[in-house]
Amino acid sequence: MKSKKYSPLWPYLAVLACMFVMCVTAPRAWQRIAVEHSILPELDAQAASPLARKRVPAAELDQPDRLDPVSQASDLAKTEESDLSDQIPVLSVGLPMEAPAAEPIVSPAVEEPVAAAPLTQPVVEVPQSLTSDTEPSVEEPVAAAGWPLPRILVRQLTELDQNTSRVAWAAAVLKLVRQIAGPDAEGVERRSELLAELRQLVERKVADNSAAQTFDSAIERARYSLIRWLAVWEHAAALEPISAHRAHDDQASSLADAVNTLDAALGKGASGSNWRNYLQVMKVRKQLEPSGTESDRRKLARMVIDRIEAAKRNHEQAKFVSTGPIADYEQALRTWAAEDLSVPRILERVEAYEVTGLPSDARIMMADVRSLGWAVTSEAQELGEVLETHYLNANLRAAATATLANRLLPQPPEIDAPVNDYVVRVPVYGRSRTFTKLSVRFVPDAERIRIGLEATGSVSSDTLATSGPATFRNEGRSTFLVRKLMVLGPRGLAEWPAISEAENNYTDLVALETDYDGVPLVGALVRGIARSQIDESRDEARLEVEYKVAQRARAQLDAEVRPRLVKAAKRIEKEQLATLKRLKLELTPLGLATTEERAVARVRLASLEQVGAHTPRPRAPADSWFSMQVHQSALNNVLEQLDLDGREFKIPDLFRWIAEKLDRPQLTKLEDLPDDVWVKFAPQNAVRLRCEEGRVEVIFAFAELVSGSQHWRNFTVRTHYRPQAEGLDPRFVRDATIYFDGKGVRGKPVPVLRAIFSKVLSKNRDLRMLSQTVTSDPRLQGLAITQFVVEDGWLGLAYSPRRAVENVVRRPK
């Protein structure tokens, strides 16, 4: 039996996650083309500002206050404008492959991924005065050619060794870590031996003690960091003696052969020409000439590979571009896309991101991860996969129980309807009353969210049937059960046609009339014949009634569910997909699972150049009906894609810009915004968040601000939001203090700035984590917020049945 495909509904698990700073909401579904219902569907001008007349030379801008200077990042692929480059072309001719020729592609619309600008511009970052308050106080990285010391891990192990007597392994692990990396490292000669010793210690001691220490957050974070760094080090040690990829000249001939094979296979038709342009065949051929530069080759190869990857995300195109000449072409291009990377530099960039958490450092690290993935050597690819596993983890997670799903499931009303039908070829008319109860059942599946929708009910009838001279009045009752399966997987939501069964509980003859009831003897004879006919056809009538009840119940459930799926899919397309498309973000499913009690979705919200989570999330209470964890990387990825870096606005124009990006027109209606203030954001990391120690720190970096005749340059603004639950409504409330740091404000009074940002970040505007429509739903009565924490980069929220106050989970001390 074939399933019907629709765009996924699961983004509602993620919709709840991102309604945060400046009403930032970034729900998204991975795109799926429906079989029956296809679901695809900058403010450029600004007024002349005072900032345009008062430019600051680049040399005067604050340079990044980075704890670990790293070399310039590799150039990322730039998307070139082309009339045909924004679509994957429809191919009408098959390519010669080992398998049968590809069938014509019927759905070509896959958007070309847009690569970020090269990470080569100067970084304007948080001044030292701010860093001293907000960044971890750890040792400076080693500047030598050795491996950098993982300062966050060292700090965690040091705290455990000094404060937790139960962790006997912390001192031994700390000693080995310092021997492997840092200025006192014992060199390459013993590195493999030391890593093997550390691995044995982790497996024997750290893992053995984990069960009894699961709920100690400090121990859990240290274990998580240790396991992450050990995996990275082991693969880095395997790569260090080997070149990350072979020389380009060694692969030139194989690439030339791949280009020629693909060019010949595409043919001379319009479809082949479109594909040739989309895959940049002529430009690649030109770069094969001696005049081609390594930088140009790298950018071109990365752009083409990204286009092929975009085609693979289209279900209809995936097989075609993953095999044959296009697959060979992509593999050959990887020799150009990869960049020579030294292991110490890779580790330095990972360490820099761990310490600062800056979006700019995340992009630099991601450039290395992508380059390792394009490398020829398996050791480089494996290191890239390890970094992707640990630093591109899910940054949004939501879980819901079947109990909550059943409580929220709307129930159909009682249906009173006329009956006009035939049973055993006899016309039947009257009325029926149908009672239906819907319920949800979770079906265990380790790789998908598998949901069964069940409808149980009964049909009571009061009918008349006329056969010849006899009229029968019957009362009957039938029960039915309808099941419908819906499966949410990596390719979207699939729903199967409903199946049903019914049972006729009874059909009682309550009255019998004939045309001969007044005729002696004849009337009794006719009534007897009528009764005998009823008895003879009783079994046949019962089977027919059961079949019709089951059929109608099945058709009714399909008719009710399918339009709702289509309507929801269209709403997602209009509201959610459009927002994510504007922000150039992808919501990638990393884990979907169902047990009998709970459905869980783990996803990563990021662009190709952005990261996910890399720290352990807070564990939800075991009795929670709904829980959600959001990592700061998801929120920072959204903020970065607002494209505020280096831009200048009047304050009202800034909110209009954000409202347009997020499709949230209510942001344009905020009151008390200063309308005579111009701001220019820093070139990088204009807005970012840090989720630590029970609060969310919001940091704004400005290159300039003009208010009337007053002018400030190169400063940051930061404040804190603390979680506060009001009934079922989780909110973030701003602290009273707003801090200012940087050259432009050092030693100067800032009352004007404080007045400006007290309006922009008004304490009268709490930030809701969930929509008020959700939290005020009467069906949630009896629940309470049993977890609302901010720790180690995560926001954690959980709802459970109301319980004693002392049992509420709070932030671990």
Side-chain angles (χ1 to χ4, degrees):
M1 183 178 294
K2 295 184 178 180
S3 64
K4 299 294 184 181
K5 303 289 184 178
Y6 293 91
S7 288
L9 298 182
W10 67 266
Y12 290 102
L13 298 174
V15 169
L16 304 178
C18 299
M19 298 185 63
F20 193 58
V21 174
M22 292 183 176
C23 300
V24 174
T25 306
R28 164 77 157 108
W30 65 92
Q31 190 165 352
R32 177 74 182 107
I33 309 300
V35 173
E36 296 182 353
H37 304 272
S38 180
I39 303 172
L40 293 170
E42 226 150 270
L43 298 175
D44 294 326
Q46 294 190 25
S49 71
L51 302 184
R53 299 190 295 271
K54 301 179 72 173
R55 298 295 180 190
V56 182
E60 295 183 20
L61 296 176
D62 281 347
Q63 291 304 305
D65 191 34
R66 297 269 296 279
L67 299 180
D68 183 16
V70 295
S71 59
Q72 196 176 60
S74 59
D75 291 340
L76 297 179
K78 294 182 179 178
T79 302
E80 300 182 14
E81 295 183 0
S82 172
D83 292 339
L84 298 174
S85 65
D86 60 344
Q87 258 194 349
I88 296 178
V90 176
L91 187 64
S92 59
V93 293
L95 297 182
M97 306 178 185
E98 295 180 5
E103 296 180 0
I105 307 303
V106 297
S107 181
V110 173
E111 184 183 3
E112 172 191 342
V114 180
L119 301 173
T120 57
Q121 64 266 42
V123 181
V124 174
E125 195 31 59
V126 184
Q128 183 64 41
S129 59
L130 173 59
T131 305
S132 62
D133 293 335
T134 62
E135 305 294 353
S137 177
V138 288
E139 303 173 20
E140 290 297 317
V142 60
W147 289 0
L149 191 67
R151 291 164 285 167
I152 300 297
L153 174 60
V154 169
R155 185 188 67 179
Q156 293 169 338
L157 292 172
T158 301
E159 291 176 352
L160 289 182
D161 185 38
Q162 294 175 348
N163 303 322
T164 310
S165 59
R166 294 182 293 115
V167 187
W169 46 264
V173 169
L174 182 59
K175 179 181 178 181
L176 284 172
V177 167
R178 292 188 180 277
Q179 289 176 320
I180 292 169
D184 300 326
E186 298 187 4
V188 179
E189 297 77 13
R190 291 198 59 214
R191 188 167 283 157
S192 297
E193 177 185 340
L194 292 170
L195 287 172
E197 185 178 346
L198 181 57
R199 169 61 66 184
Q200 292 179 359
L201 181 59
V202 167
E203 292 176 352
R204 287 188 293 106
K205 299 293 185 181
V206 180
D208 289 346
N209 295 337
S210 62
Q213 300 164 347
T214 299
F215 297 101
D216 192 322
S217 59
I219 297 174
E220 185 68 12
R221 285 195 290 270
R223 289 180 57 250
Y224 203 94
S225 296
L226 174 60
I227 293 171
R228 179 173 67 247
W229 272 106
L230 179 56
V232 171
W233 280 337
E234 288 173 336
H235 287 82
L239 173 63
E240 196 161 31
I242 304 172
S243 172
H245 71 287
R246 300 167 192 159
H248 299 313
D249 294 339
D250 297 340
Q251 302 297 319
S253 59
S254 63
L255 180 55
D257 292 340
V259 170
N260 293 332
T261 301
L262 177 61
D263 194 23
L266 290 175
K268 299 181 179 180
S271 176
S273 177
N274 290 345
W275 273 104
R276 194 175 286 108
N277 184 49
Y278 182 80
L279 298 173
Q280 301 288 294
V281 173
M282 299 308 296
K283 290 186 178 181
V284 172
R285 189 187 296 279
K286 186 175 181 180
Q287 286 294 326
L288 284 167
E289 299 174 359
S291 59
T293 66
E294 183 175 344
S295 176
D296 291 341
R297 287 170 176 169
R298 181 182 301 123
K299 287 187 285 188
L300 177 61
R302 293 182 177 187
M303 180 187 69
V304 175
I305 291 173
D306 281 343
R307 291 185 174 189
I308 295 174
E309 290 299 323
K312 290 178 182 178
R313 291 194 291 271
N314 183 307
H315 180 57
E316 286 77 14
Q317 303 278 9
K319 182 178 179 180
F320 170 68
V321 299
S322 300
T323 57
I326 295 182
D328 296 339
Y329 178 65
E330 177 189 10
Q331 185 62 34
L333 280 174
R334 291 179 179 272
T335 62
W336 281 2
E339 181 184 9
D340 286 314
L341 299 172
S342 70
V343 168
R345 189 181 76 167
I346 294 171
L347 297 180
E348 285 171 1
R349 291 178 168 180
V350 173
E351 160 64 5
Y353 168 67
E354 276 211 359
V355 171
T356 67
L358 296 175
S360 57
D361 284 342
R363 285 184 176 269
I364 291 173
M365 183 186 72
M366 274 302 302
D368 288 349
V369 173
R370 300 190 76 201
S371 190
L372 288 168
W374 291 318
V376 172
T377 62
S378 61
E379 292 82 1
Q381 294 176 5
E382 289 171 0
L383 176 57
E385 290 173 359
V386 168
L387 290 173
E388 183 173 345
T389 297
H390 290 284
Y391 292 92
L392 277 79
N393 213 330
N395 52 20
L396 292 173
R397 179 189 180 275
T401 63
T403 305
L404 178 62
N406 281 306
R407 177 178 286 199
L408 296 177
L409 188 66
Q411 296 296 328
E414 175 186 345
I415 299 176
D416 190 338
V419 176
N420 190 2
D421 202 349
Y422 284 83
V423 177
V424 197
R425 299 169 298 279
V426 174
V428 177
Y429 55 93
R431 303 207 56 90
S432 68
R433 294 179 304 281
T434 304
F435 304 85
T436 306
K437 180 181 180 180
L438 294 178
S439 60
V440 168
R441 177 176 296 182
F442 288 171
V443 182
D445 192 322
E447 298 180 353
R448 296 171 181 83
I449 294 179
R450 191 178 292 268
I451 301 174
L453 182 61
E454 290 188 350
T456 58
S458 63
V459 180
S460 300
S461 60
D462 187 350
T463 59
L464 295 175
T466 301
S467 177
T471 300
F472 308 91
R473 182 182 176 188
N474 296 297
E475 291 183 354
R477 184 177 183 273
S478 299
T479 56
F480 59 86
L481 171 63
V482 187
R483 291 187 175 96
K484 187 175 185 65
L485 179 64
M486 294 177 287
V487 179
L488 184 62
R491 292 180 179 175
L493 182 69
E495 55 98 8
W496 272 257
I499 59 174
S500 62
E501 58 184 76
E503 180 180 359
N504 180 230
N505 303 112
Y506 64 84
T507 299
D508 293 338
L509 178 63
V510 297
L512 172 60
E513 297 180 1
T514 69
D515 295 342
Y516 302 97
D517 283 348
V519 180
L521 298 178
V522 176
L525 179 61
V526 172
R527 291 171 66 89
I529 295 173
R531 287 183 181 276
S532 64
Q533 290 177 344
I534 289 177
D535 293 338
E536 291 175 359
S537 60
R538 187 178 300 278
D539 290 340
E540 183 181 357
R542 178 177 56 81
L543 292 175
E544 187 172 344
V545 167
E546 291 177 347
Y547 170 78
K548 289 186 175 183
V549 169
Q551 183 185 45
R552 289 170 182 170
R554 179 172 66 247
Q556 183 175 351
L557 185 62
D558 278 335
E560 288 288 332
V561 171
R562 192 164 296 165
R564 292 176 184 267
L565 293 180
V566 174
K567 182 179 179 180
K570 290 181 178 179
R571 185 172 63 250
I572 290 171
E573 175 193 0
K574 179 181 179 181
E575 299 176 3
Q576 321 305 342
L577 297 183
T579 298
L580 268 294
K581 185 176 180 180
R582 283 192 300 272
L583 296 176
K584 299 181 177 66
L585 288 169
E586 294 287 337
L587 200 60
T588 307
L590 300 184
L592 302 173
T594 320
T595 66
E596 291 184 358
E597 297 295 331
R598 202 176 302 270
V600 180
R602 296 172 57 252
V603 298
R604 180 178 66 241
L605 178 65
S607 68
L608 290 174
E609 293 84 25
Q610 293 176 320
V611 299
H614 69 280
T615 56
R617 61 176 176 83
R619 302 290 178 174
D623 65 342
S624 61
W625 284 12
F626 173 79
S627 63
M628 175 175 62
Q629 296 85 36
V630 186
H631 191 259
Q632 65 187 22
S633 62
L635 301 174
N636 280 324
N637 291 344
V638 174
L639 293 174
E640 188 179 17
Q641 295 302 101
L642 292 178
D643 195 20
L644 299 177
D645 292 351
R647 293 191 180 272
E648 56 185 64
F649 303 91
K650 268 190 171 183
I651 295 297
D653 294 335
L654 169 62
F655 279 81
R656 280 192 285 271
W657 174 276
I658 297 173
E660 182 176 337
K661 287 281 187 178
L662 301 176
D663 191 24
R664 297 184 66 82
Q666 60 268 37
L667 290 177
T668 63
K669 302 176 183 179
L670 298 179
E671 299 178 354
D672 299 330
L673 293 177
D675 57 2
D676 60 343
V677 177
W678 287 86
V679 296
K680 180 179 180 181
F681 286 97
Q684 285 192 359
N685 308 313
V687 187
R688 64 189 178 99
L689 306 175
R690 290 173 59 88
C691 300
E692 297 286 350
E693 299 180 352
R695 62 185 185 177
V696 178
E697 183 178 47
V698 187
I699 306 169
F700 302 87
F702 295 100
E704 297 180 75
L705 184 147
V706 175
S707 176
S709 61
Q710 301 188 68
H711 185 215
W712 295 266
R713 297 176 179 173
N714 307 324
F715 68 98
T716 60
V717 180
R718 61 188 176 94
T719 190
H720 300 96
Y721 285 83
R722 297 184 181 275
Q724 178 177 305
E726 296 185 5
L728 296 177
D729 188 6
R731 302 184 180 191
F732 287 90
V733 180
R734 183 175 71 80
D735 283 353
T737 307
I738 298 178
Y739 303 90
F740 300 89
D741 301 273
K743 288 182 179 179
V745 296
R746 288 175 187 164
K748 300 178 182 179
V750 290
V752 175
L753 285 178
R754 195 173 303 280
I756 291 171
F757 286 99
S758 293
K759 293 180 179 179
V760 174
L761 305 172
S762 175
K763 290 194 67 176
N764 297 325
R765 292 194 293 270
D766 295 343
L767 303 177
R768 285 188 168 93
M769 194 168 180
L770 299 180
S771 167
Q772 192 173 10
T773 304
V774 174
T775 58
S776 61
D777 193 320
R779 292 172 294 181
L780 297 181
Q781 296 303 315
L783 297 183
I785 295 177
T786 53
Q787 183 188 56
F788 193 19
V789 297
V790 180
E791 61 180 41
D792 202 20
W794 286 91
L795 310 177
L797 174 67
Y799 287 86
S800 305
R802 188 172 286 116
R803 59 195 187 194
V805 176
E806 58 270 17
N807 292 333
V808 176
V809 176
R810 304 186 184 278
R811 182 173 66 85
K813 301 297 183 182

